[in-house]
Amino acid sequence: MDITPYSLRHSFACACFYNTDIPIENIAKIMGHSTTRVTYDTYVHQIAKEEKKLSSQLDSLYKDTKNKQQP
């Protein structure tokens, strides 16, 4: 995976949101966004989609494992 200015910016915003108590209003200001909606739609929303995808993949893995263990 290439490290780009965009990926660093994305990582920073997500880390601020998920690993600190910094309010989204402050994160939006740090990122230079005009509204918190821009921050949410750009960073937080994307993470939520990725978490949902991961959750679905783990569910499938669990079901496959469970089915293989049954006689």
Side-chain angles (χ1 to χ4, degrees):
M1 173 168 58
D2 293 334
I3 297 175
T4 64
Y6 174 79
S7 66
L8 291 173
R9 181 178 168 85
H10 187 86
S11 296
F12 173 78
C14 292
C16 285
F17 186 79
Y18 285 101
N19 299 322
T20 69
D21 293 329
I22 299 172
I24 195 164
E25 293 83 6
N26 292 22
I27 297 169
K29 186 175 181 178
I30 291 167
M31 300 302 293
H33 296 154
S34 57
T35 67
T36 58
R37 189 74 197 169
V38 172
T39 307
Y40 180 82
D41 288 347
T42 304
Y43 300 105
V44 180
H45 181 68
Q46 181 62 33
I47 295 296
K49 286 193 322 188
E50 291 173 10
E51 287 175 348
K52 187 174 181 177
K53 181 180 175 183
L54 176 60
S55 177
S56 177
Q57 290 172 339
L58 290 174
D59 284 346
S60 294
L61 180 63
Y62 173 74
K63 288 175 186 175
D64 288 346
T65 303
K66 188 176 178 183
N67 288 338
K68 288 178 182 179
Q69 291 177 352
Q70 293 179 356

